[in-house]
Amino acid sequence: MKIYGVRVGALVIADGLWIMLALVSGFFSVAMVILIGAAVGNAHHLLAAVPRWAHHSSTLLLTLCGGIVANVLAGLALFSSNMGISYGQVLTARRIPEDLPMLVNLFVESFRLEDALFYTLAVTVALVSARRRRDGWRRS
């Protein structure tokens, strides 16, 4: 449970960095999803615990779902900066249950082939980073 908690924390920090970058610079690139993969995959280094095979499914799920959520939130941040309104207004204007199908449709329509490459790289980085290392780590 500790590994999962640290990975969720790393995901939140990486998502926040991506959103802040989009807000401050007006630059939006889905390449930042690789940062999410690296953060989730390497989060276990903060603990003494060694990841097991059972942790790979949560790594995969957190990387994909966290990347998609961060992509939508960073896109909304870019939209708010382009429109000249605050990010808080954009988020509070969203009625999540009612607008969720619209957000999903927008995400699907804006998804490009390059985005699939970045998501694949993020998942690969996360899974490679999350594997059990044999060099000097204690066995559990």
Side-chain angles (χ1 to χ4, degrees), residues 1-13 39-40 43-44 46-47 55 58 62:
M1 199 62 165
K2 286 182 185 178
I3 288 179
Y4 182 73
V6 171
R7 285 185 175 159
V8 169
L11 174 66
V12 169
I13 291 169
V40 170
H44 65 274
L46 299 173
L47 301 172
H55 298 136
S58 72
L62 284 173

Short mmCIF file of all heavy atoms in Angstrom, two decimals, residues 1-13 39-40 43-44 46-47 55 58 62:
data_model
loop_
_atom_site.label_atom_id
_atom_site.label_comp_id
_atom_site.label_asym_id
_atom_site.label_seq_id
_atom_site.Cartn_x
_atom_site.Cartn_y
_atom_site.Cartn_z
N MET A 1 0.82 -1.19 0.00
CA MET A 1 0.00 0.00 0.00
C MET A 1 0.86 1.26 0.00
O MET A 1 0.49 2.27 -0.58
CB MET A 1 -0.91 -0.05 1.23
CG MET A 1 -2.07 0.85 1.13
SD MET A 1 -3.09 0.35 -0.25
CE MET A 1 -4.55 1.21 0.10
N LYS A 2 2.04 1.18 0.64
CA LYS A 2 2.94 2.34 0.66
C LYS A 2 3.42 2.69 -0.75
O LYS A 2 3.47 3.86 -1.11
CB LYS A 2 4.15 2.06 1.54
CG LYS A 2 3.87 2.08 3.02
CD LYS A 2 5.16 1.84 3.76
CE LYS A 2 4.90 1.72 5.25
NZ LYS A 2 6.14 1.43 5.98
N ILE A 3 3.78 1.66 -1.52
CA ILE A 3 4.25 1.90 -2.89
C ILE A 3 3.15 2.56 -3.71
O ILE A 3 3.40 3.51 -4.45
CB ILE A 3 4.74 0.60 -3.55
CG1 ILE A 3 6.07 0.17 -2.93
CG2 ILE A 3 4.89 0.76 -5.05
CD1 ILE A 3 6.64 -1.11 -3.47
N TYR A 4 1.94 2.08 -3.56
CA TYR A 4 0.82 2.66 -4.30
C TYR A 4 0.62 4.13 -3.90
O TYR A 4 0.43 4.99 -4.76
CB TYR A 4 -0.45 1.85 -4.04
CG TYR A 4 -1.64 2.37 -4.80
CD1 TYR A 4 -1.75 2.18 -6.16
CD2 TYR A 4 -2.65 3.06 -4.14
CE1 TYR A 4 -2.84 2.66 -6.87
CE2 TYR A 4 -3.75 3.55 -4.84
CZ TYR A 4 -3.83 3.33 -6.19
OH TYR A 4 -4.91 3.82 -6.89
N GLY A 5 0.68 4.42 -2.62
CA GLY A 5 0.51 5.80 -2.15
C GLY A 5 1.59 6.73 -2.67
O GLY A 5 1.32 7.86 -3.08
N VAL A 6 2.84 6.25 -2.68
CA VAL A 6 3.94 7.07 -3.18
C VAL A 6 3.79 7.29 -4.68
O VAL A 6 4.05 8.38 -5.19
CB VAL A 6 5.30 6.42 -2.84
CG1 VAL A 6 6.44 7.11 -3.54
CG2 VAL A 6 5.52 6.43 -1.34
N ARG A 7 3.33 6.27 -5.39
CA ARG A 7 3.11 6.42 -6.84
C ARG A 7 1.99 7.41 -7.14
O ARG A 7 2.10 8.19 -8.08
CB ARG A 7 2.82 5.07 -7.48
CG ARG A 7 4.07 4.24 -7.60
CD ARG A 7 3.83 2.96 -8.32
NE ARG A 7 5.11 2.28 -8.49
CZ ARG A 7 5.24 1.00 -8.72
NH1 ARG A 7 4.17 0.24 -8.81
NH2 ARG A 7 6.42 0.47 -8.88
N VAL A 8 0.93 7.38 -6.36
CA VAL A 8 -0.15 8.35 -6.56
C VAL A 8 0.37 9.76 -6.28
O VAL A 8 0.07 10.70 -7.01
CB VAL A 8 -1.37 8.02 -5.67
CG1 VAL A 8 -2.38 9.15 -5.68
CG2 VAL A 8 -2.04 6.73 -6.15
N GLY A 9 1.18 9.91 -5.23
CA GLY A 9 1.77 11.21 -4.94
C GLY A 9 2.67 11.69 -6.07
O GLY A 9 2.62 12.88 -6.46
N ALA A 10 3.49 10.80 -6.63
CA ALA A 10 4.35 11.15 -7.76
C ALA A 10 3.52 11.54 -8.97
O ALA A 10 3.87 12.48 -9.70
CB ALA A 10 5.28 9.98 -8.09
N LEU A 11 2.41 10.84 -9.17
CA LEU A 11 1.51 11.16 -10.27
C LEU A 11 0.91 12.55 -10.11
O LEU A 11 0.88 13.34 -11.06
CB LEU A 11 0.39 10.11 -10.36
CG LEU A 11 -0.71 10.36 -11.38
CD1 LEU A 11 -0.16 10.29 -12.79
CD2 LEU A 11 -1.82 9.34 -11.20
N VAL A 12 0.47 12.88 -8.93
CA VAL A 12 -0.12 14.20 -8.67
C VAL A 12 0.92 15.30 -8.89
O VAL A 12 0.62 16.33 -9.50
CB VAL A 12 -0.71 14.25 -7.24
CG1 VAL A 12 -1.08 15.66 -6.85
CG2 VAL A 12 -1.91 13.33 -7.13
N ILE A 13 2.14 15.08 -8.44
CA ILE A 13 3.21 16.08 -8.62
C ILE A 13 3.52 16.26 -10.10
O ILE A 13 3.64 17.39 -10.60
CB ILE A 13 4.46 15.69 -7.82
CG1 ILE A 13 4.18 15.83 -6.32
CG2 ILE A 13 5.66 16.53 -8.23
CD1 ILE A 13 5.24 15.22 -5.43
N ALA A 39 7.86 9.24 -13.31
CA ALA A 39 7.54 9.51 -11.90
C ALA A 39 6.85 8.31 -11.25
O ALA A 39 7.22 7.90 -10.15
CB ALA A 39 6.64 10.74 -11.81
N VAL A 40 5.88 7.73 -11.94
CA VAL A 40 5.16 6.59 -11.38
C VAL A 40 6.08 5.37 -11.28
O VAL A 40 6.09 4.65 -10.28
CB VAL A 40 3.91 6.27 -12.23
CG1 VAL A 40 3.29 4.94 -11.83
CG2 VAL A 40 2.89 7.39 -12.11
N ALA A 43 8.86 5.91 -8.40
CA ALA A 43 8.43 6.36 -7.08
C ALA A 43 8.85 5.41 -5.97
O ALA A 43 9.11 5.84 -4.85
CB ALA A 43 6.91 6.55 -7.06
N HIS A 44 8.98 4.12 -6.27
CA HIS A 44 9.33 3.16 -5.22
C HIS A 44 10.75 3.37 -4.70
O HIS A 44 11.09 2.86 -3.64
CB HIS A 44 9.17 1.73 -5.74
CG HIS A 44 10.12 1.38 -6.83
ND1 HIS A 44 9.84 1.65 -8.15
CD2 HIS A 44 11.34 0.82 -6.80
CE1 HIS A 44 10.86 1.24 -8.89
NE2 HIS A 44 11.78 0.74 -8.10
N LEU A 46 11.80 5.89 -3.35
CA LEU A 46 11.70 6.67 -2.12
C LEU A 46 11.45 5.79 -0.90
O LEU A 46 11.57 6.25 0.23
CB LEU A 46 10.56 7.69 -2.24
CG LEU A 46 10.72 8.72 -3.35
CD1 LEU A 46 9.46 9.56 -3.48
CD2 LEU A 46 11.93 9.59 -3.11
N LEU A 47 11.11 4.53 -1.13
CA LEU A 47 10.84 3.58 -0.05
C LEU A 47 11.91 2.51 -0.01
O LEU A 47 12.63 2.29 -0.98
CB LEU A 47 9.48 2.92 -0.26
CG LEU A 47 8.27 3.84 -0.32
CD1 LEU A 47 7.04 3.05 -0.72
CD2 LEU A 47 8.04 4.50 1.02
N HIS A 55 2.67 -5.19 -8.45
CA HIS A 55 2.65 -3.73 -8.54
C HIS A 55 2.62 -3.23 -9.98
O HIS A 55 2.36 -2.06 -10.22
CB HIS A 55 3.86 -3.13 -7.83
CG HIS A 55 3.90 -3.43 -6.37
ND1 HIS A 55 5.05 -3.81 -5.72
CD2 HIS A 55 2.93 -3.41 -5.44
CE1 HIS A 55 4.79 -4.01 -4.45
NE2 HIS A 55 3.51 -3.78 -4.24
N SER A 58 -0.84 -1.77 -11.23
CA SER A 58 -1.14 -0.42 -10.76
C SER A 58 -0.26 0.61 -11.45
O SER A 58 -0.69 1.73 -11.72
CB SER A 58 -0.99 -0.31 -9.24
OG SER A 58 0.35 -0.36 -8.85
N LEU A 62 -2.01 3.60 -13.39
CA LEU A 62 -1.72 4.98 -12.98
C LEU A 62 -1.08 5.78 -14.11
O LEU A 62 -1.39 6.96 -14.29
CB LEU A 62 -0.80 5.00 -11.76
CG LEU A 62 -1.43 4.68 -10.42
CD1 LEU A 62 -0.36 4.57 -9.35
CD2 LEU A 62 -2.44 5.73 -10.05
#
